[in-house]
Structure formats: structure tokens, C-alpha cells
Amino acid sequence: MDALFGRKVFFKCENFQKVGAFKARGALNALLNLPANSGDVVTHSSGNHGAALAWAARKLGKTAYVICPTNASRFKRDAIERYGGTIVDCGPAIPQRETALQSFLQESDATFVPPYDHVDIIAGQGTATLELLEEVPNVTEIWVPIGGGGLASGTVVAANGRCAVVGSEPELARDAHDSLGSGRRLPALPPESIADGLLSSLGLLNFEILHRAHVPVRLVSEDEIRAATVLIWQTLKVVIEPSSAVPVAAALKDDVSSKEAIAIILSGGNVVPNLSV
Amino acid sequence: MDALFGRKVFFKCENFQKVGAFKARGALNALLNLPANSGDVVTHSSGNHGAALAWAARKLGKTAYVICPTNASRFKRDAIERYGGTIVDCGPAIPQRETALQSFLQESDATFVPPYDHVDIIAGQGTATLELLEEVPNVTEIWVPIGGGGLASGTVVAANGRCAVVGSEPELARDAHDSLGSGRRLPALPPESIADGLLSSLGLLNFEILHRAHVPVRLVSEDEIRAATVLIWQTLKVVIEPSSAVPVAAALKDDVSSKEAIAIILSGGNVVPNLSV
């Protein structure tokens, strides 16, 4: 891998994290920071955050309701239920999620735990970087994918200037790239990328953190995402989902000016590869 | 996984080994035990042993020639060449390999390093078990797949009575099962199983070691192998090849009479899952 990337590369394997993605960190941190008398929780999620909230809620004796688009991957919907969450169906468009959430909150006293635009979520996701920098303190850059921006902003906060943070997005879901480039938050494009964890609009707090830190965002094509996914399966022998391959693809085509070591956070592994050999 | 298996299960991940399979151990040990003045080496292999010999030979400044069936998986042929080995084509049937090897040896002074029926190969493969028992000394059984029997017999030798060894085979490649059951070595069936690392006939020395140790052999169907492969990908997030899923499938349907911990050796990860999400 070092030869392929032109420099030493470390991988933080969040696909091995509980629920198969870094999202377990933020969800658990958010629940641990709720007032002691708070009850059940609710969120909207097309996947990993929903499963993470279900997992964290069960650990703390709560129920998690997850407003989930009907077109979310079967694998991710199953995971929400396997961890004890209750799915509330909604339509695939982002405004439909919001409407479904508002209706739910009017009829329930559950607490809303947002997927990324929240200080406790961001702080939780940052713990991946605290562990990473404890193990390999000398990396000069940490590469992350950007969806809503929870992982990316948590990485910025946790790195705290010790190294640079480089964001990455699919060309088909480039709202963070365009928002940070123009200095104002633009809505997400209609969801199309194979990187199904990166279709959300950048959150407000996330935007502010990334903007202030001047985090660059590299874009990759769908073909580059597919190739990088298979490369990691084949070479590292670990299963990652396509969203996790976005920073891999971006770093692979980076013009390497420095030979210093970098790290890539492999954000999750919730995908079912086909067996056809 | 513990809940699925009905007891505590540890996995020895030889898919993370050099060349993506336990075969690196035996090949390196065999080459380190050659006389100091020996030159290049040759073997026949449909895959992992060939890549392992190429890798070990390059480390020691030798060239490895690998007699390889033309129908071997593209992935495994590529690996042999990537590690610096030279492929010599032969036909798919086992007698064709033997003939090709004999012709090669007549025209070359390379030393033949067999894939499994050799004391140094067996001892090398056994080092996986030495590491495993150092980390988890309390397992009562180690489950392994059986092809030529190098891994299984190495496991018996290395375990040295500290725990039981349970073998496993595809129903479509059950020669070890039938040989050990009848007490005489029977030839392999025509190769058909998806578990392409387990199509060889049990070696003579391997047979003797397994027979003396009364190693039982459990059989699994092709569907069970496929399901176990995907289960490991999905749950452990590690890439294994179908041959490695054979002991997983066998242990999954085992009548568990004891709650004691077991270990399964995941023998390799050289497969390319399809990305179709």
C-alpha cells in the first residue's frame, strides 16, 4: 500500500468498530451527555447513525426510534432492528425525513439526537482521531470522507492542529466541497452516489468548524470509489463500504509533494459484497 | 459470533498473513531449511502455495517456478507473478501437474518444494497454532480446513495434545474424510468445490499424522460454504476466501455439547468479492 500511495499510509479501521462504523462513538457520547431523567430517543438516518443510536440506546436501557427512508439499504435497515431500534418509515427525500421527524416529536416525548450537527456527536466522532494519534503521532494528514460532516469536524477538533485534515467527497455529492469553496452552506445534490453514507447536507456546526480550519475537500468519481473499495478488500483483506473508499480514492490520486506519513479513516464496513467465484 | 456458535469462538486470521494465506509460513520454513548451496525452487500449485513460494524465494534471493493449471483463479495467478514467481502452465488435472513437474525437473537443477507433503512445510504451517495457543491457551478445539493436509497436520503437531484438532472438508472434496474413515489414502475426487484451496489429495505424511491423531473430518455443502463466507465478511468485516469458510460452516452446525472456547483458523483471503450495491 505504501508503494501505491507513494508514502507511508496508516488506516484507522472504524469498520471494526461496534455497529461496523465510527457512528457508535458519537451516538454513545450524545446519550451519555443527555440529562439523567431523559427517556427514549429518536433520529433520522439512512443507516449507520440509526444502528449506532439503537446500539447505544440499548446499552443505556432506552429505546431508539429511527426515521429511515424506505429506499435505505436492506443491510442497514436490518442492522437498526438487530440492535433493538424501531424503524419509522419515511420517503427518500431529505425534506420528507424532516417532516416525519417533526410529526414524531409532536406525538412523543423522545429526545432528538441528530446524526452529525451536534456538539456531543462531533466530540464523540473525534475520539477515533484521539486513538489514531496516540498510536501513530507522526502523521501529517488525516484523510476523511464528508457526508454531514460529523466525522470530519470531530477529526479537526480532536487533531487540534497536531496535523492537517483533508476531506473528500463523491463528485455526485459535492456539497461540502462547494460550500467550503464558496464560504456559504449549499444544499446537498439529489442523492446518487454509490457512497450512500455521504449523501447528507453538511451540518451548520460542521460547516463552521471545517470552514474555520480551511479543510480542503477532494472530489472523486464513482469509478474511482468502486476501484478503491475493491483495492482495500483485496489488499488489506478488510471489508469497507464504498463511503469509506472515498478518502482512499482521493489520496491515491493526490499529487504527493511530501513523503511524510498520512492516515486514512476507514469509516465503516456495512455492505454485503457478492460472492461470485 | 459467540451467540451464533453457541460458545466462545476465536479466529486466527491467516488472511492477514503475508501473501494473504497461512502458506507463507510453510514456504519460508522450507526454504530456510534447504542446504546453503541450493539454487532456484519449483513447485506445482493452483494458487496460494505458489504465491507463498514466490514470496519466500524472493526474500532469499532465489527464483520460484510455479507449475500452475491454466484454469487456476486469475487472482491467484496474478499473485504468483506479483511476488516475483515465474508461472509454467499445465493442464487442469492433477496428473498433468505431475507430468509437467517431472519434465521441468529433468531440464533444471531447481529444488522441488512440495505444497504440503513435507516435514518442513508441515512444521511451518504449525506456527499459526503456536501463536494462537500463546494468545488464547484455553481453547479446547482448533478447527481447520483440509486440502492436502499441510495446515491440519501442522496444527496437530503444534498443538501436541494441548487441545483437539477438528478437520473439515467440502462434501465435493471429501477425500480426507473418506481416507481417514477407511484407514487408507484415497485419491481426490474431480475438483468441483467453490473452496478452491481444498481440492488436492491428502498427502502421505499428512495422512499419517492425521490418522494417528484420530482427527475427525466434518463435511459441509457448497451452500453452507457460501453462507459462511458471507457471514464472515458481514460480521467480522474481514475478507476470507471460500476455503476458509469450510471450518466456519462446519462449526456452525456442530452439536455443541460443551461451552468451552474453540478457535477457527481462517486460512486465507485471496478472493475478489464483487461490488454490486
Side-chain angles (χ1 to χ4, degrees), chain A residues 15-16 19-20 75 82 194 225-227 229-230 233-234 236-239 242 269-277, chain B residues 15-16 19-20 75 82 194 225-227 229-230 233-234 236-239 242 269-277:
Chain A
N15 52 336
F16 293 153
V19 314
F75 184 93
R82 197 164 60 245
I194 188 182
I225 297 170
R226 286 175 190 276
T229 304
V230 173
W233 293 353
Q234 229 176 282
L236 297 189
K237 314 294 185 198
V238 305
V239 175
N270 290 323
V271 66
V272 187
N274 274 355
L275 175 58
S276 61
V277 289
Chain B
N15 53 337
F16 293 152
V19 314
F75 184 93
R82 198 166 58 246
I194 187 181
I225 298 170
R226 285 173 189 278
T229 304
V230 173
W233 293 354
Q234 229 177 282
L236 296 189
K237 315 294 184 197
V238 306
V239 175
N270 290 325
V271 66
V272 186
N274 274 356
L275 175 58
S276 62
V277 288

Side-chain angles (χ1 to χ4, degrees), chain B residues 31-46:
Chain B
L31 294 201
L32 288 171
N33 280 288
L34 287 180
N37 61 349
S38 64
D40 292 336
V41 289
V42 59
T43 196
H44 54 76
S45 166
S46 60

